[in-house]
Amino acid sequence: MLTRQTPPHPLPAQPPVELPETVGYRFKNRILGRPLDTDQLAHQRLGIPTALAVFASDNLSSVAYATEEILRVLIPVVGFFAFSLVVPITVAMLIVLFFLILSYRETIKEYPTAGGAYVVTRDNFGLLPAQVAGVSLLTDYVLTVAVSVAAGTDALTSAVPSLHSAHVAIALGFIALIAFGNLKGVKESGRIFAIPTYFFISVMGLMLLSGFIKILTGTHLPHAPLKPGHIKIGTKGATDAMFYGATWFVVAHAFASGGAAVTGVEAISNGVTAFKKPEWRNARTTLMIMGTTLGAMFFGLSALSTKVHPIPYEKGTPTVLAQVGRAVFGHGASGDVLFYMLQAGTMLILVLAANTSFADFPRLASFQAGDNFLPKQLTKRGHRLVFSNGILALAASAAALVLATGAKVDRLIPLYAVGVFTSFTMSQSGMARHHLRLREPGWRKGLIINSTGAVLSLVVDIIILITKFTHGAWLVVMIVPVMVALLVRLNRQYEAESQELEENAKTAAEAPILKRHVVLVLIDDLDQSAARAIQYARTLVPDELKAVHIAVDPLHAAELADEWRRLGLSRLPLVIVDAPDRRVARAVLELVAEEGADGQTEITVLIPRRMYKRSWHKLLHDRTAEQIARAVGQLPHANVTFVPFHLGEKLALHSHEGEGLRP
Amino acid sequence: MLTRQTPPHPLPAQPPVELPETVGYRFKNRILGRPLDTDQLAHQRLGIPTALAVFASDNLSSVAYATEEILRVLIPVVGFFAFSLVVPITVAMLIVLFFLILSYRETIKEYPTAGGAYVVTRDNFGLLPAQVAGVSLLTDYVLTVAVSVAAGTDALTSAVPSLHSAHVAIALGFIALIAFGNLKGVKESGRIFAIPTYFFISVMGLMLLSGFIKILTGTHLPHAPLKPGHIKIGTKGATDAMFYGATWFVVAHAFASGGAAVTGVEAISNGVTAFKKPEWRNARTTLMIMGTTLGAMFFGLSALSTKVHPIPYEKGTPTVLAQVGRAVFGHGASGDVLFYMLQAGTMLILVLAANTSFADFPRLASFQAGDNFLPKQLTKRGHRLVFSNGILALAASAAALVLATGAKVDRLIPLYAVGVFTSFTMSQSGMARHHLRLREPGWRKGLIINSTGAVLSLVVDIIILITKFTHGAWLVVMIVPVMVALLVRLNRQYEAESQELEENAKTAAEAPILKRHVVLVLIDDLDQSAARAIQYARTLVPDELKAVHIAVDPLHAAELADEWRRLGLSRLPLVIVDAPDRRVARAVLELVAEEGADGQTEITVLIPRRMYKRSWHKLLHDRTAEQIARAVGQLPHANVTFVPFHLGEKLALHSHEGEGLRP
């Protein structure tokens, strides 16, 4: 056995090398900005006006398509009678919204830290039902992105029709832009968000106000002009239609389409911690303001549509909102300016709505991954402290949906809202259970509110499911259970692994070492890299040390053996293993398996690894070292060590020669 | 410091595991057949008839397009006077062939082991000129494949015109098929090769014989029918045309196109070792037979074309050979059978010609790689003992050419032959130099023959270069020097590497070990995989042993430190390194750089690596371990060891528990 001693002829000391950053990392810094440290993770506290801007865009932006989707269902069946039905249906949906807001006021108070449907369901029903809520929400976040960018593109092409031919590319561009901004870690900076939100609210308000003033003052509001490409207008009359039971189905279907309007109502309950103190009270106020604003705009637009008679178009543009806006603002120069402002505001708030999902999806995914129900990688914060993997997963899924549907809002809507109302139902039932369990002061009132919310959500969910089943909701119905099953399978794997890993870990950490330690040095040529490996091998003070040459070319092996003898290296035995099938990794694997067959031998395989200076130098050599490492790793107690030898660093070596040596 | 002892509570012994083969390897066995051992590398010895079949296809198959390419140049300029010029031009090319054959007889005698242009040039002019010859030949092997499969496809679509719309796909299919066959290691089995070669020679002979008999007996040979799509027929008359100097250029151009006919003449000199004894004498005889056969067929076809007046078509099909064949055989039932046989034979020999390059290119590339002028990977024999990488490189390059030219023979021909005649020139000059140097008996005669061959090759090469320069030869003129420069650069890199690696290797192998050995165990959680790594660490008997935790999550780090204390693991110090930027690999790199700053410390970084049973299990975890290994490998004397812990193998472990233990 070798013992350690102060070396008489040491290898030249290697200088402390500089540690350059990799190209990839420097690129990342250039593109995304400097890295953020974990302790920079802090939320700014938001006042009510900024909070409204930050959290409300998803909800408020629904105005851009909710009325249109109601009309799109009604008009082909009941024709112009649709304009008599649209306001009652809108009001019905607003009643649902009212109860949802009441319910979420309870949630905000009871779960002031993280009140999303996932956490509420998990706390009250357990992990498995929470996965249903989680998957439903994740699905809907993907759909929110897809619907919002599609509708945002429609708002743009309603104003600039010549862009319509590129509308899928534009929608994808929006997704890329938002994803990039989120990877960069756009802070939930109220100011940036406030501009589009309040701009949209203002210009919508202006439009609704002008419209109603014109109606009240008896000024004529022109019907929207009809051009080729609008949807078919049904011919069934008013009373006529009501006699047929089938038409009630159409009304329910239209109501289900309107359900898209109340999505996003849960956003505030997810972010209560971001509010200024007292958080829950401020959050509640913001929720009320949001609800009222949405209600006013949704009702206003539906009401105006009864005068303007906008007919949706097959290709989705000009939108109903654009048609109403044009009719209200008129065609003069000032009308043009206001119209373009309306379209710009609509586009901006829709893009902002998509952005909201980019905050929610990665956060929810990281919760689920933290509970071992999604891949662990989703819990990892990236360069700029955001959950980069979640952002990329969301962007990819939404882009796939946009491509699959050709960025058409009316093809996406049937998939939408099923998930939202499922999660509403679960979260409200969870709240009801919460009240029953804890019976805190005022629990009876809370129980009534949340039970009503739960029942109402369930009813709407069933209506959506039934009326939209054949239009695409079936897909969601299939995907959610499959996803949940996958997540459960994944969870079981994680749990099994961690159980196995932790079992006896404590005693194992103190386990004595094995009886024998064999070190095998793989030698290809007797060169500097091999010399380094031999030097290192002796550092390990093994019980047995062998140099091993896998002979692919018998001639070369004979030469090596000769050289070995000639140099008097016989203190270190050279074992030559024939590999007639030229499978070096396999030969090493078999040799190691043999050495370790007794189960009491620790084997270290040393692989000299030449470190090349440039990547093209590396391309000139094969990857046998990696193959060997992969093969040998299959065996227990077989440890693979890469012993580096750095090529092309001779200069640095010479100039510092002898440095750092003690005499 | 820990010392080794018989363990009182050993970890359960791990049983000798079975060593399953990887999926990839099993797939390879299924597709390519069982692996061949290196000692199975043996050439069968070929007699003259089989040798002709094996080596002649490249050369003989040129008949399929040589006459056509001559006519394609002449007809647009001199019109039907082309049929008076085609025979003289053919004869001129046959004279060149005659001298080449004389020259190669010398080469065969003087270089009976490996007489390719590369080796001859290397021996007589040195490595650098040899690269020019090598690159020229490699280029031409690629072109041989492209031209042959394109012409083979034309032969097929001349018989079955409906296939023409898929002709690029068919050509690519041929390449794929041949490449697959060669990866499988189709032995140069004479019998398989003999069938198409002799079939082609027979049916060509039959066609020529019938044609001449008909001519001699005064039977009318009909002119080939003209359909739309043939090339433009020039209007310059006979004598008229000869007055213009420009027409001499056209004749030279036509002659250059005919140069494609003599490619492949060097094949026999590459394979002398494959002949039965006396090798060089049998090889010479075969060369003479090949030359005579080619000469007879080429002359015969050109001569028949003067009677049949076949006009080439823009899209390349029906070919001139097909037109002549149809005219000679006629349209009856027996004519049809013979015509289809002719086309089948032509297609088969052309595919076989492409196959020849698949033997030559990888072999030449492996020579060049062996001299360090091409990537080393080209010297590696694959599963079935063939140079797989060379086969794949050739297939990819040829496929790219076929795609780029749309599999059109007349677009490939101008690129062709430049390289062949360059390598002829170099190899014949090399032979002349050889005679001058060695002055063996009969050297004067040899010198005259090879000098003549060299001068003639050079003249033809210059003619081809000038007349075809603007048609595509410029590309070859550019590519060859660029490639040679690249190869030289690559060679310099290899030489520099091996020089550096071998310098002082002998003394280095005896170099004493460094003063200090520090082992760092990276700990993420205190689990079984960490316990395994700690156990292994103690086996190494280091001077210093530390457990290191890179703290991404401060909470988790605190928990780990607690557990560490609680379990009394304080004998092994736990170092917690903060990584506020969450870059684990970077943190380890910096720590190791610090530890090794004195240049006299050997550092071993132990990374516990969980070995998952299924690949999807692995997907659930990130690749931090690999990232750390890559980062730390940048430092000298920093050795990374993966300590495996196998998940999911508990059952096997239990059933063998305690086995192999000494009391």
Side-chain angles (χ1 to χ4, degrees):
Chain A
M1 198 188 280
L2 294 156
T3 51
R4 190 153 305 127
Q5 57 187 37
T6 310
H9 308 293
L11 275 188
Q14 308 247 9
V17 265
E18 292 223 343
L19 304 174
E21 297 288 357
T22 58
V23 178
Y25 185 71
R26 275 179 284 151
F27 180 73
K28 212 186 231 179
N29 268 315
R30 175 71 59 88
I31 294 294
L32 294 180
R34 59 181 187 76
L36 293 179
D37 279 1
T38 311
D39 53 20
Q40 285 172 272
L41 191 68
H43 277 286
Q44 52 175 328
R45 294 296 181 131
L46 306 173
I48 293 174
T50 14
L52 186 67
V54 169
F55 293 112
S57 61
D58 180 8
N59 190 242
L60 298 183
S61 67
S62 324
V63 176
Y65 46 80
T67 303
E68 170 153 352
E69 292 307 319
I70 293 173
L71 290 174
R72 197 179 280 277
V73 172
L74 292 175
I75 290 174
V77 183
V78 300
F80 287 95
F81 187 57
F83 296 109
S84 308
L85 290 173
V86 65
V87 170
I89 289 174
T90 301
V91 169
M93 189 45 70
L94 289 180
I95 291 168
V96 173
L97 175 68
F98 176 74
F99 278 100
L100 283 174
I101 284 175
L102 280 188
S103 300
Y104 270 104
R105 288 183 78 231
E106 291 296 314
T107 311
I108 286 170
K109 198 175 151 208
E110 299 293 325
Y111 286 88
T113 48
Y118 182 74
V119 175
V120 173
T121 311
R122 185 181 64 187
D123 273 18
N124 293 293
F125 293 115
L127 272 168
L128 189 60
Q131 300 317 311
V132 180
V135 169
S136 303
L137 270 178
L138 290 180
T139 317
D140 260 78
Y141 289 144
V142 175
L143 280 157
T144 300
V145 174
V147 169
S148 300
V149 300
T153 308
D154 283 349
L156 175 64
T157 59
S158 295
V160 192
S162 60
L163 289 177
H164 190 267
S165 57
H167 82 292
V168 172
I170 294 171
L172 293 176
F174 279 139
I175 294 177
L177 197 76
I178 302 167
F180 174 70
N182 278 278
L183 285 176
K184 233 173 134 71
V186 175
K187 274 282 164 91
E188 286 171 358
S189 148
R191 203 159 309 158
I192 298 174
F193 284 45
I195 298 169
T197 308
Y198 287 105
F199 179 64
F200 175 70
I201 294 175
S202 313
V203 63
M204 269 297 285
L206 187 66
M207 197 267 282
L208 297 174
L209 215 64
S210 320
F212 285 113
I213 287 172
K214 282 192 177 174
I215 293 169
L216 292 175
T217 57
T219 315
H220 175 68
L221 266 189
H223 279 190
L226 272 186
K227 287 174 198 143
H230 63 78
I231 59 170
K232 222 182 79 206
I233 301 172
T235 49
K236 272 184 199 144
T239 28
D240 203 33
M242 301 313 273
F243 277 113
Y244 297 100
T247 311
W248 286 108
F249 183 83
V250 171
V251 173
H253 188 183
F255 172 77
S257 285
V262 305
T263 58
V265 82
E266 81 285 4
I268 291 175
S269 70
N270 284 329
V272 183
T273 45
F275 281 82
K276 279 193 183 147
K277 286 181 183 174
E279 292 91 346
W280 67 272
R281 203 171 284 282
N282 284 327
R284 274 183 159 192
T285 313
T286 311
L287 182 64
M288 296 303 293
I289 298 172
M290 177 177 86
T292 314
T293 313
L294 173 69
M297 295 197 296
F298 187 16
F299 178 83
L301 183 63
S302 292
L304 276 185
S305 76
T306 61
K307 297 291 169 191
V308 176
H309 285 199
I311 309 291
Y313 281 80
E314 288 283 1
K315 63 174 183 175
T317 147
T319 61
V320 161
L321 176 57
Q323 293 180 53
V324 173
R326 189 44 107 179
V328 169
F329 290 137
H331 271 276
S334 74
D336 274 359
V337 169
L338 288 168
F339 171 73
Y340 287 123
M341 276 168 64
L342 178 66
Q343 292 310 112
T346 311
M347 184 186 83
L348 286 174
I349 200 164
L350 281 162
V351 171
L352 205 59
N355 187 66
T356 311
S357 285
F358 274 89
D360 291 337
F361 180 103
R363 193 194 308 143
L364 174 55
S366 82
F367 283 158
Q368 288 185 268
D371 289 341
N372 288 338
F373 278 93
L374 276 179
K376 283 278 178 209
Q377 288 93 324
L378 290 166
T379 63
K380 227 174 158 181
R381 287 184 186 273
H383 190 70
R384 302 276 292 179
L385 275 173
V386 295
F387 296 112
S388 327
N389 293 325
I391 291 173
L392 294 173
L394 173 60
S397 322
L401 256 180
V402 163
L403 278 173
T405 59
K408 292 193 73 177
V409 175
D410 64 302
R411 294 179 62 184
L412 287 161
I413 287 285
L415 308 174
Y416 203 28
V418 179
V420 174
F421 278 93
T422 305
S423 71
F424 284 167
T425 308
M426 301 196 73
S427 131
Q428 297 312 323
S429 323
M431 284 303 298
R433 180 116 202 263
H434 173 87
H435 292 302
L436 275 174
R437 281 196 303 133
L438 301 188
R439 310 210 171 200
E440 286 170 341
W443 68 274
R444 279 171 215 278
K445 191 185 135 215
L447 180 61
I448 293 170
I449 290 174
N450 288 122
S451 307
T452 316
V455 171
L456 214 54
S457 301
L458 183 64
V459 170
V460 177
D461 207 20
I462 290 169
I463 292 176
I464 296 176
L465 252 180
I466 292 173
T467 58
K468 301 215 166 256
F469 193 80
T470 54
H471 296 84
W474 62 271
L475 195 66
V476 177
V477 174
M478 293 207 13
I479 282 176
V480 171
V482 169
M483 285 289 293
V484 170
L486 272 177
L487 263 51
V488 169
R489 178 76 192 80
L490 203 148
N491 175 257
R492 210 177 307 147
Q493 176 59 23
Y494 273 128
E495 299 291 335
E497 277 174 14
S498 80
Q499 201 187 341
E500 187 182 347
L501 279 166
E502 265 141 45
E503 207 173 80
N504 304 321
K506 286 123 216 225
T507 48
E510 289 279 1
I513 60 182
L514 298 192
K515 279 210 298 274
R516 212 162 68 102
H517 180 206
V518 176
V519 173
L520 306 175
V521 190
L522 298 187
I523 303 276
D524 200 25
D525 273 307
L526 188 54
D527 60 17
Q528 289 257 24
S529 69
R532 250 301 284 150
I534 294 171
Q535 183 195 30
Y536 174 72
R538 284 148 63 217
T539 311
L540 301 181
V541 205
D543 297 309
E544 206 172 318
L545 174 56
K546 294 177 194 168
V548 174
H549 175 71
I550 308 295
V552 170
D553 176 356
L555 243 76
H556 179 68
E559 278 170 28
L560 181 67
D562 267 2
E563 200 179 359
W564 205 265
R565 248 190 312 279
R566 218 177 53 240
L567 293 173
L569 285 172
S570 43
R571 257 202 314 162
L572 172 60
L574 174 69
V575 181
I576 293 190
V577 178
D578 274 326
D581 57 359
R582 303 173 304 290
R583 296 175 69 205
V584 176
R586 181 79 191 174
V588 177
L589 173 66
E590 281 166 3
L591 179 69
V592 172
E594 202 178 292
E595 286 280 356
D598 65 354
Q600 280 298 303
T601 303
E602 191 84 65
I603 298 155
T604 305
V605 178
L606 302 188
I607 306 182
R609 193 194 231 175
R610 298 162 192 173
M611 305 302 288
Y612 299 98
K613 246 194 140 170
R614 288 173 207 285
S615 41
W616 76 267
H617 297 173
K618 205 168 155 185
L619 279 184
L620 299 180
H621 302 272
D622 57 28
R623 314 210 4 110
T624 314
E626 283 76 9
Q627 282 167 22
I628 296 172
R630 213 173 316 133
V632 173
Q634 295 168 33
L635 298 172
H637 295 151
N639 312 281
V640 175
T641 304
F642 289 114
V643 184
F645 177 77
H646 291 257
L647 279 152
E649 288 187 353
K650 234 193 303 192
L651 277 175
L653 222 150
H654 277 301
S655 62
H656 292 256
E657 199 161 352
E659 204 174 77
L661 283 183
R662 290 183 231 154
Chain B
M1 200 190 280
L2 295 156
T3 50
R4 190 154 305 126
Q5 58 187 34
T6 309
H9 308 294
L11 276 188
Q14 308 247 9
V17 265
E18 291 223 344
L19 302 175
E21 296 288 357
T22 59
V23 179
Y25 185 72
R26 274 178 286 152
F27 181 74
K28 210 186 230 179
N29 268 317
R30 175 70 59 87
I31 294 294
L32 294 180
R34 61 177 188 78
L36 293 178
D37 279 1
T38 311
D39 53 19
Q40 285 173 274
L41 191 67
H43 278 285
Q44 52 176 329
R45 294 294 180 133
L46 307 173
I48 293 174
T50 16
L52 186 68
V54 169
F55 293 113
S57 62
D58 180 9
N59 189 241
L60 298 183
S61 67
S62 324
V63 175
Y65 45 81
T67 303
E68 170 153 351
E69 293 307 319
I70 293 174
L71 290 174
R72 197 179 280 277
V73 172
L74 292 174
I75 290 173
V77 183
V78 302
F80 287 97
F81 187 57
F83 296 110
S84 307
L85 290 174
V86 64
V87 170
I89 289 173
T90 301
V91 170
M93 189 45 70
L94 289 180
I95 292 169
V96 173
L97 175 67
F98 176 73
F99 278 99
L100 283 173
I101 285 175
L102 281 189
S103 300
Y104 269 103
R105 291 181 77 231
E106 291 295 313
T107 310
I108 287 170
K109 198 177 153 207
E110 299 293 325
Y111 286 88
T113 48
Y118 181 75
V119 174
V120 173
T121 311
R122 185 180 64 188
D123 274 17
N124 293 293
F125 294 115
L127 272 168
L128 190 60
Q131 301 317 311
V132 180
V135 169
S136 302
L137 271 178
L138 290 180
T139 316
D140 260 77
Y141 289 143
V142 175
L143 280 157
T144 299
V145 174
V147 169
S148 300
V149 299
T153 309
D154 283 348
L156 176 64
T157 59
S158 294
V160 192
S162 61
L163 289 177
H164 190 267
S165 57
H167 81 292
V168 172
I170 293 171
L172 293 177
F174 279 140
I175 293 177
L177 197 75
I178 301 167
F180 174 70
N182 278 278
L183 285 176
K184 233 174 135 70
V186 174
K187 274 281 164 90
E188 287 171 357
S189 145
R191 203 160 307 156
I192 299 173
F193 285 44
I195 299 168
T197 308
Y198 287 107
F199 179 64
F200 175 70
I201 293 175
S202 314
V203 61
M204 268 298 283
L206 187 66
M207 196 267 282
L208 296 174
L209 216 64
S210 323
F212 286 113
I213 288 173
K214 283 192 177 172
I215 292 168
L216 291 175
T217 58
T219 315
H220 174 68
L221 267 190
H223 278 192
L226 272 185
K227 286 173 200 146
H230 63 76
I231 59 171
K232 222 182 78 202
I233 301 172
T235 48
K236 272 182 200 147
T239 29
D240 203 32
M242 301 312 273
F243 278 112
Y244 296 99
T247 311
W248 284 108
F249 183 84
V250 172
V251 172
H253 188 181
F255 173 76
S257 285
V262 305
T263 58
V265 83
E266 80 285 3
I268 291 176
S269 69
N270 285 329
V272 182
T273 45
F275 282 81
K276 278 192 182 146
K277 288 183 185 176
E279 291 92 346
W280 67 273
R281 203 173 285 282
N282 284 327
R284 274 183 158 191
T285 313
T286 312
L287 182 65
M288 296 303 293
I289 298 173
M290 176 177 86
T292 314
T293 314
L294 173 69
M297 294 197 296
F298 188 16
F299 178 83
L301 183 63
S302 292
L304 277 185
S305 76
T306 62
K307 299 289 168 193
V308 176
H309 286 199
I311 309 289
Y313 280 79
E314 288 284 1
K315 64 173 183 174
T317 147
T319 61
V320 162
L321 175 57
Q323 293 180 54
V324 173
R326 188 47 107 178
V328 169
F329 291 137
H331 271 275
S334 75
D336 275 356
V337 169
L338 288 167
F339 172 73
Y340 287 122
M341 276 168 65
L342 177 67
Q343 291 311 112
T346 310
M347 184 187 83
L348 287 174
I349 200 165
L350 281 162
V351 170
L352 204 58
N355 186 67
T356 311
S357 284
F358 274 89
D360 290 336
F361 180 103
R363 193 195 307 143
L364 174 55
S366 82
F367 283 158
Q368 288 185 269
D371 289 341
N372 288 338
F373 279 92
L374 276 178
K376 285 277 179 210
Q377 288 91 324
L378 291 166
T379 63
K380 226 173 156 182
R381 287 183 187 275
H383 190 70
R384 301 277 290 180
L385 275 174
V386 294
F387 296 112
S388 327
N389 293 324
I391 291 172
L392 294 172
L394 173 59
S397 320
L401 257 179
V402 162
L403 278 172
T405 59
K408 292 194 72 177
V409 175
D410 63 305
R411 293 180 63 184
L412 287 162
I413 286 286
L415 308 174
Y416 203 31
V418 179
V420 173
F421 277 93
T422 304
S423 72
F424 284 169
T425 307
M426 301 197 73
S427 129
Q428 296 313 321
S429 323
M431 283 305 297
R433 180 114 202 263
H434 174 87
H435 292 304
L436 274 173
R437 282 196 303 133
L438 302 188
R439 311 208 170 203
E440 287 170 339
W443 67 274
R444 277 170 216 277
K445 190 183 136 217
L447 179 62
I448 292 170
I449 291 174
N450 288 121
S451 305
T452 315
V455 170
L456 214 55
S457 302
L458 183 65
V459 169
V460 177
D461 206 17
I462 290 171
I463 292 176
I464 296 176
L465 253 181
I466 293 174
T467 58
K468 301 214 167 255
F469 193 80
T470 54
H471 296 83
W474 62 270
L475 195 66
V476 177
V477 174
M478 293 207 14
I479 282 176
V480 171
V482 169
M483 285 289 293
V484 170
L486 272 176
L487 262 53
V488 169
R489 177 77 192 82
L490 204 147
N491 173 258
R492 213 178 303 148
Q493 175 59 23
Y494 273 129
E495 297 292 335
E497 276 174 15
S498 80
Q499 202 187 340
E500 187 182 346
L501 279 167
E502 265 141 45
E503 208 173 79
N504 305 320
K506 285 123 215 221
T507 48
E510 288 280 359
I513 59 181
L514 298 192
K515 278 210 298 275
R516 212 163 68 99
H517 181 207
V518 176
V519 172
L520 306 175
V521 189
L522 298 187
I523 303 274
D524 200 24
D525 273 308
L526 188 54
D527 59 18
Q528 288 256 27
S529 69
R532 249 301 284 149
I534 294 170
Q535 182 196 30
Y536 175 70
R538 285 148 63 217
T539 312
L540 300 182
V541 205
D543 297 310
E544 208 172 315
L545 173 56
K546 294 178 193 167
V548 175
H549 175 70
I550 308 296
V552 170
D553 177 354
L555 243 77
H556 179 66
E559 278 170 27
L560 180 67
D562 267 3
E563 200 178 1
W564 206 265
R565 249 190 312 278
R566 217 177 52 241
L567 293 173
L569 285 172
S570 44
R571 259 204 312 163
L572 172 60
L574 174 68
V575 181
I576 293 190
V577 177
D578 274 327
D581 58 358
R582 304 172 304 289
R583 296 174 69 204
V584 176
R586 181 81 191 173
V588 177
L589 173 65
E590 281 166 4
L591 180 69
V592 172
E594 203 178 291
E595 287 280 356
D598 65 354
Q600 279 299 303
T601 304
E602 191 84 64
I603 298 155
T604 304
V605 178
L606 301 188
I607 306 182
R609 195 193 229 172
R610 299 164 191 171
M611 305 302 288
Y612 299 99
K613 246 194 142 172
R614 287 174 208 285
S615 41
W616 76 266
H617 297 174
K618 206 167 154 185
L619 279 184
L620 299 180
H621 301 273
D622 57 28
R623 317 213 356 113
T624 314
E626 282 77 8
Q627 281 166 23
I628 296 172
R630 215 173 316 132
V632 173
Q634 294 169 32
L635 298 173
H637 296 150
N639 313 281
V640 175
T641 304
F642 289 114
V643 184
F645 177 78
H646 291 256
L647 280 152
E649 289 187 352
K650 232 188 314 192
L651 276 176
L653 222 150
H654 277 300
S655 62
H656 291 256
E657 198 160 358
E659 203 175 76
L661 282 182
R662 290 181 232 156

